[in-house]
Amino acid sequence: MPVTLDSRLAPVIGDKSAKPLARALGIETVGDLLRHYPRRYLEIGELSPLSSLELDQHVTIMAEVRSIKKFPFGPNGRRTRTEVLVTDQTGEITLTFFAKIYALKPGDVGLFSGVVGSFRGKLQLTHPQHDPIGDRLARGVVPIYPASAAATSIFIEKCVGLCLDAVEDLPELLPDEVRSARGYADVAASFESVHRPYSVSEAMAARARFRFEEAFVIQTVLAQRRHVAAAATATARPPRPGGLRDRFVEQLPFALTEGQQEIAEVVGAELATSHPMHRLLQGEVGSGKTVVALLAMLQVVDAGGQAAMLAPTEVLAAQHHRTITSMLGDLARSGMLGGAEDATRVRLLTGSMTARARQESLLDLVTGDAGIVVGTHALIQDGVEFADLGLVVVDEQHRFGVEQRAALVDRADTRPHTLVMTATPIPRTVAMTVFGDLDVSVLAQLPAGRQPIQTNVVPIADRPAWLERAWVRVREEVARGRQAYVVVSRIGDGDAGAEESPTRSLVELHEELAGGALHGLRLGALHGRMASDEKDAVMSRFAAGEIDVLVATTVVEVGVDVPNATVMVVMDAERFGISQLHQLRGRVGRGSEPGLCLLVTSADAESPSAERLKAVASTTDGFELSRLDVSMRSEGDVLGTRQSGFRSSLRLLSVVRDEDVIVAAREVATRVVENDPTLAGEPALAAAVAALEASDGAEYLERT
Ligand code: ADP
Ligand code: MG
């Protein structure tokens, strides 16, 4: 049987070698091993920098033997310890062997693999695996693999060599014209160059090819999905002159920003066609996405359809319901006193509503009396039926499961249009990968007259008095008729780990402030474990100005909109992520008054957490912060933890750094799929696409 990428390793490299690869690195097939690319390459002559070795690291170094000393030890000194001192230009390290070593002599250059230890204050490798440079001399370059003590780089290099010599029928995923246009070698030559290069630049060129290939397969999956979606039909919802949408715009208390206008036009035009819209609206925090969504919903209602808005939390669903109802005014008072002619009705649907209220909402949805419904995941449960669902708006997507959105979209008889809104800006490349089958609009501009949010880090480790200053600022704002948020990282009514936690809980802080620094102010508390009607009551009172200071958990993180709130104090700010803090502080400075955000932290000023807080304080550009956020986390974090299949298809490609590769791959993939939608002419590519679709990772490539 010919050896292919799918072959098991044992018959090729032997059982004994296959075992450690599987156990230590999860490498099972020839393909797994050939795609286990070197971490870096050492040029012979240019030795590894010994001065930068760190304790407990597994390393492979290339170094020259300086001296060899033998010491007797053991009973009667019958055994021998050999100390080999090796050096490079930058430092030296001792190799210790509890044996006689014949294979090494001064002047030899070799590879040494082992774990860096320390003995009498000096670094050493104990019993390292060693290998003379030998044949590698002819090539001049040594690959260094991601390795472990059980499967060292030297060992992996040998196994890879056996596979390269044996493998046949390598699948060529890149169409010929793509390969020649981009100047890539064929797949066999590229594997050879990646693992057994004659120069570092040769290896780099081959890596570029495989990096592109990874992006290309993903983008082909997405291009095929877009192709299928383009063939689907939806009901066209053209605008109706003089309808609810037009009248709503007339009565808006503000002018739409240029960005809002542009996107509203694009969305309006897409709704008017019989192709289902699939659009992602990415917006800066506070840029006014809700109005854009509302315009779209009204256009659909004007055309006789219904619109559903999915919110990630009950607090947010209730708020949207409240603001939409009040913004629409008499336009939403269908069948009620003072209702406008052809007015519609806005309904709420959440899991914790009373049976009676729920029945009312459900009835209005199935009869079509409600043109707009706002809800949580309760909207996608069985028993929710629409008369004619024309548009699904998903607010604050990052909290929402892909499957849930699909559930709502799949329910309708004809495909509804879809508008997805993200709460936090995400880097373009992440959007192109994670939301790759959606068209993207960006709303970066804030409404005119917004005052910038000033953010200060308040380090209280060495300056406890500064916290007092923060509370004084809160009092000052309240004295001017403004309101404040105090955000805490945990609730504290018996939550796990509370005893050890150095942070102050909501319960503790609320009590402390009420009796101390904020004595006499009207305080409220809000957290996720409160009953829904309680939450709702607190939020309404805060929105109405009946609460001065809201002490809350991150339930206020996303979307909460109370323009009179001007100051936010975030306690234990180091516990929050960059994007989360940006999102949180977006709750203040939403009106015409400047906002102030105080990030209180007891983190050490030199620590990475303090650096993150400084970054948040230094800019209010959400796109810049999200790039930073993403670059500080691992790729896996960015893509989500469940998506192991998709992640493991990424070896060389970084969704964050490789923007140019992703953009180019997307263009090429789109063209390839347009010319050959089923990939009949590219069987190897078709197989790779099918394999990725079948992996659990494909879920993360958004499905609408
Ligand atoms: P986000 O994009 O963060 O969801 P919202 O849609 O909640 O932002 O809007 C933030 C605030 O800005 C709301 O109070 C909204 O009424 C207001 N707003 C929206 N558009 C404009 C505009 N063009 N001019 C002034 N205020 C606006
Ligand atoms: Mg919002």
Side-chain angles (χ1 to χ4, degrees), residues 129-205:
Q129 189 182 11
H130 61 99
D131 200 38
I133 288 300
D135 295 348
R136 299 182 187 89
L137 207 52
R139 271 185 279 116
V141 182
V142 183
I144 304 293
Y145 289 89
S148 72
T152 66
S153 181
I154 296 166
F155 166 74
I156 294 171
E157 187 188 351
K158 296 208 160 114
C159 297
V160 166
L162 292 173
C163 286
L164 280 177
D165 293 338
V167 74
E168 291 170 52
D169 279 341
L170 287 166
E172 180 58 75
L173 302 189
L174 300 181
D176 290 348
E177 71 277 10
V178 174
R179 211 150 44 74
S180 59
R182 298 191 64 87
Y184 294 145
D186 70 29
V187 61
S190 298
F191 271 124
E192 198 54 49
S193 299
V194 139
H195 294 292
R196 293 196 285 214
Y198 283 84
S199 69
V200 174
S201 62
E202 178 192 340
M204 290 303 151

Side-chain angles (χ1 to χ4, degrees), residues 213-431:
E213 201 177 285
E214 287 174 8
F216 180 66
V217 174
I218 292 170
Q219 293 300 331
T220 305
V221 168
L222 295 169
Q224 276 193 320
R225 289 204 192 146
R226 285 196 300 272
H227 186 83
V228 169
T233 56
T235 308
R237 314 282 181 178
R240 180 157 60 85
L244 295 173
R245 175 178 165 144
D246 285 0
R247 278 179 284 157
F248 171 69
V249 173
E250 270 164 35
Q251 68 174 50
L252 261 181
F254 47 71
L256 294 177
T257 65
E258 246 170 70
Q260 285 172 319
Q261 251 163 13
E262 261 167 47
I263 296 171
E265 254 167 59
V266 169
V267 169
E270 284 179 334
L271 293 174
T273 75
S274 52
H275 287 304
M277 172 178 78
H278 289 101
R279 187 161 286 278
L280 172 69
L281 174 51
Q282 271 220 66
E284 182 56 273
V285 180
S287 58
K289 295 182 287 284
T290 319
V291 179
V292 175
L294 188 50
L295 291 174
M297 295 196 277
L298 291 174
Q299 177 170 328
V300 169
V301 174
D302 278 338
Q306 292 167 293
M309 184 182 224
L310 274 168
T313 64
E314 298 209 336
V315 167
L316 214 54
Q319 175 191 282
H320 277 317
H321 178 250
R322 238 184 345 258
T323 43
I324 290 175
T325 309
S326 81
M327 279 175 104
L328 287 177
D330 57 2
L331 300 178
R333 299 169 67 96
S334 163
M336 282 187 267
L337 205 61
E341 188 194 331
D342 69 12
T344 188
R345 204 174 280 169
V346 183
R347 282 297 194 183
L348 178 68
L349 195 74
T350 64
S352 61
M353 284 164 69
T354 62
R356 170 124 173 265
R358 183 181 153 80
Q359 276 312 319
E360 274 177 15
S361 287
L362 290 176
L363 192 64
D364 274 358
L365 290 183
V366 74
T367 58
D369 285 347
I372 295 176
V373 59
V374 184
T376 55
H377 57 275
L379 261 179
I380 40 191
Q381 276 154 13
D382 285 340
V384 182
E385 276 172 44
F386 292 87
D388 181 11
L389 180 60
L391 170 66
V392 174
V393 177
V394 184
D395 193 20
E396 323 295 10
Q397 165 70 19
H398 75 301
R399 294 268 191 103
F400 245 100
V402 177
E403 304 80 9
Q404 293 176 313
R405 180 152 55 86
L408 191 56
V409 171
D410 290 347
R411 166 155 318 182
D413 299 332
T414 57
R415 225 171 166 138
H417 300 278
T418 314
L419 180 65
V420 175
M421 305 198 284
T422 57
T424 321
I426 50 177
R428 184 165 109 102
T429 45
V430 176

Side-chain angles (χ1 to χ4, degrees), residues 683-696:
L685 177 60
V689 162
L692 182 57
E693 282 275 23
S695 74
D696 38 346

